[in-house]
Amino acid sequence: EGGGSPVFDNKSREYYLVSIPLSDSAMDVSDLRLEEALFNMGVIYKENLLDYQEAINSFEELVSQFPYPSGKFTDEAMYYLHELYNATQKPGLAESYKGKLQAQYPDSHYTKLLTNPNYIKELEEEEMKITRIYEGIYDRYQSKDYQGVIIGVDSAVAHNPDDALVPKFMYIKALSMGALTGKEEMKTGLDSLIAHYPASEE
């Protein structure tokens, strides 16, 4: 009634796509926002609304508009399409997406989830290994072997730069630097930790 912005139902496509800019001047930003909108829409239809057909439509559109290698979410969308086609009794299409994932994204986390039955177990074993490394470094810190802590942390982080324990490694390294060379070095290490991991507990 009257002017104002239209209000869309959260089960409609317009609800998710309404804020996408479509002018030529905003095209790069628009593409990324459109891809994110299609991906988020697919996940919401799949996980929250349990509308598998609309989820398939969203992920299919994403894969079509943002194919390998340009798509940021394409491998994950293919993984979901494999799941969704199996759930909707279309094993041929599910296998087709498994094949595309293997061919186009052989090193993707999602490819490994589909093709390596031991993948989750291997990830868990790797995480346990890193936890044990941290425990060993913490023991060195307790023993006041600060140089050993710093060497151990540098090695652990170099080999596992994306691991969730990296902020803990950086924190104990900063404390060790402070113990060895004074508060300025510790402050530098802690500033680096805050800059790189602002949301971490450390």
Side-chain angles (χ1 to χ4, degrees), residues 15 61 98 100 140 154:
Y15 179 85
E61 189 173 342
K98 181 178 177 180
K100 285 177 185 175
R140 287 188 204 172
D154 287 346

Side-chain angles (χ1 to χ4, degrees), residues 79 83 108-129:
Y79 174 80
E83 280 193 330
S108 165
H109 164 72
Y110 299 99
T111 305
K112 290 171 185 172
L113 279 174
L114 284 186
T115 58
N116 180 356
N118 296 317
Y119 182 56
I120 297 294
K121 189 178 173 196
E122 288 168 9
L123 284 179
E124 288 170 351
E125 286 172 356
E126 191 62 31
E127 192 53 45
M128 282 304 299
K129 199 187 303 178

Side-chain angles (χ1 to χ4, degrees), residues 120-182:
I120 297 294
K121 189 178 173 196
E122 288 168 9
L123 284 179
E124 288 170 351
E125 286 172 356
E126 191 62 31
E127 192 53 45
M128 282 304 299
K129 199 187 303 178
I130 296 164
T131 301
R132 283 194 293 271
I133 290 170
Y134 177 78
E135 288 167 354
I137 288 172
Y138 185 78
D139 286 345
R140 287 188 204 172
Y141 178 76
Q142 294 282 71
S143 304
K144 298 184 167 44
D145 176 12
Y146 302 122
Q147 195 63 51
V149 169
I150 292 166
I151 292 167
V153 166
D154 287 346
S155 172
V157 172
H159 287 96
N160 308 279
D162 302 318
D163 194 82
L165 285 180
V166 168
K168 286 188 182 299
F169 282 115
M170 289 181 68
Y171 180 69
I172 202 168
K173 178 183 175 182
L175 295 181
S176 297
M177 287 165 66
L180 277 178
T181 56

Side-chain angles (χ1 to χ4, degrees), residues 41-52 55 80 83:
M41 186 162 57
V43 171
I44 288 164
Y45 277 129
K46 177 181 181 289
E47 304 290 343
N48 298 88
L49 303 176
L50 303 179
D51 187 335
Y52 292 166
Y80 282 138
E83 280 193 330

Side-chain angles (χ1 to χ4, degrees), residues 29-65:
V29 173
S30 173
D31 277 353
L32 180 57
R33 288 176 65 187
L34 175 60
E35 186 182 6
E36 286 179 345
L38 286 169
F39 179 76
N40 290 336
M41 186 162 57
V43 171
I44 288 164
Y45 277 129
K46 177 181 181 289
E47 304 290 343
N48 298 88
L49 303 176
L50 303 179
D51 187 335
Y52 292 166
Q53 191 50 57
E54 281 298 338
I56 286 170
N57 293 345
S58 302
F59 290 131
E60 286 281 14
E61 189 173 342
L62 187 155
V63 169
S64 168
Q65 289 202 41

